[in-house]
Each structure stands twice: as C-alpha cells, then as structure tokens.
Amino acid sequence: MPTILKIDGYRFFFFSNEHSPIHIHIEKSDSYARIEIECLKVSDSYNLNSKEIKKLVNLVKSNQETLKKAWNEYFN
C-alpha cells in the first residue's frame, strides 16, 4: 500500500493490486475518498463534506503528474 503524498493530514495512496482507471485513495482519520486521477471524478467518499471533497479534488489536480508518474512506475 504505497503512500505517494501526505498533505494537510491526508494520506494519498494506492493498493498493490489496483486496476484501471488510474485512481488514488485518500484518507484522514475516519474519512476517505477515491478519485480518478485523469478526469478528477470522485468515485467514492465517506465522512467528507462537499468543501473537503472539493479540496481533495483540487489537491489531486495540482499533483496530477506526480500521482500519474507514481502509478505508472509502480504498475508498469
């Protein structure tokens, strides 16, 4: 379960047996989101309000290249 980034207490990671589309899991204490990196679609979330989800989407967007590179290096 490689951790790619830690920002504002959020941990950005993926599991070692992931699948397409390219996505990132994000957690902080009891909150969780899964965001597709290419299109920034939130495909799952738990215990996050709309403001927090927007913040996470913006963090994924601003780190998109780093996240894609980490995915490609790990899975290719």
Side-chain angles (χ1 to χ4, degrees):
M1 193 173 355
T3 297
I4 310 306
L5 298 170
K6 288 186 178 182
I7 303 172
D8 294 337
Y10 291 100
R11 183 171 77 99
F12 294 70
F13 66 98
F14 48 76
F15 294 102
S16 59
N17 61 342
E18 290 288 11
H19 53 81
S20 292
I22 298 174
H23 60 277
I24 194 76
H25 300 267
I26 307 163
E27 67 180 8
K28 181 178 180 179
S29 50
D30 65 344
S31 60
Y32 169 82
R34 180 179 180 265
I35 300 175
E36 294 178 21
I37 296 171
E38 295 283 333
C39 64
L40 304 174
K41 175 185 173 190
V42 179
S43 54
D44 194 14
S45 68
Y46 173 77
N47 219 18
L48 293 163
N49 62 39
S50 60
K51 184 178 178 181
E52 293 168 315
I53 291 172
K54 183 176 181 178
K55 175 183 180 172
L56 293 177
V57 169
N58 285 332
L59 286 171
V60 170
K61 183 177 182 178
S62 64
N63 291 283
Q64 209 167 23
E65 290 306 312
T66 299
L67 297 170
K68 284 194 292 189
K69 181 179 178 191
W71 177 283
N72 289 328
E73 286 177 355
Y74 191 82
F75 292 109
N76 292 328

